[in-house]
Amino acid sequence: MRKLLSLRHWKQTFLLIFRLLKSKEVSFLDKLLFIVPVLVYWISPDFMPFIPIDDIAVTMIVAEWFASRMGRKYNIK
């Protein structure tokens, strides 16, 4: 829990995501695993306003999952 509240942790997570998204080693489909769900959720609350989770919370959850999974899969740290 303490890790998730750390600004240093999120800085490292988003830097890793940036490296993964610009890396030529990571397949385009794997990059879409991060981009599509985040974009859909950022757009969908405009059509479904009663979703109880905030946009940034969903982005952070998907970012944590994507960074850990793709970092291990492609051995990028």
Side-chain angles (χ1 to χ4, degrees):
M1 179 69 172
R2 193 169 216 181
K3 175 179 88 169
L4 294 177
L5 297 176
S6 167
L7 290 177
R8 181 179 297 152
H9 168 73
W10 288 109
K11 177 184 172 191
Q12 292 172 348
T13 300
F14 283 107
L15 286 174
L16 176 59
I17 288 172
F18 182 72
R19 283 193 304 264
L20 288 166
L21 290 176
K22 73 176 193 171
S23 173
K24 294 185 188 310
E25 295 175 15
V26 179
S27 74
F28 184 71
L29 290 176
D30 286 338
K31 292 176 185 179
L32 288 178
L33 281 175
F34 174 69
I35 295 170
V36 170
V38 169
L39 286 178
V40 166
Y41 197 84
W42 277 72
I43 294 169
S44 68
D46 296 336
F47 302 112
M48 300 180 293
F50 302 109
I51 298 175
I53 301 175
D54 190 35
D55 300 349
I56 195 67
V58 170
T59 302
M60 292 174 79
I61 291 167
V62 173
E64 182 71 27
W65 171 80
F66 178 78
S68 66
R69 182 175 181 271
M70 292 301 145
R72 278 184 305 209
K73 182 176 180 179
Y74 292 101
N75 198 22
I76 298 174
K77 295 186 181 200

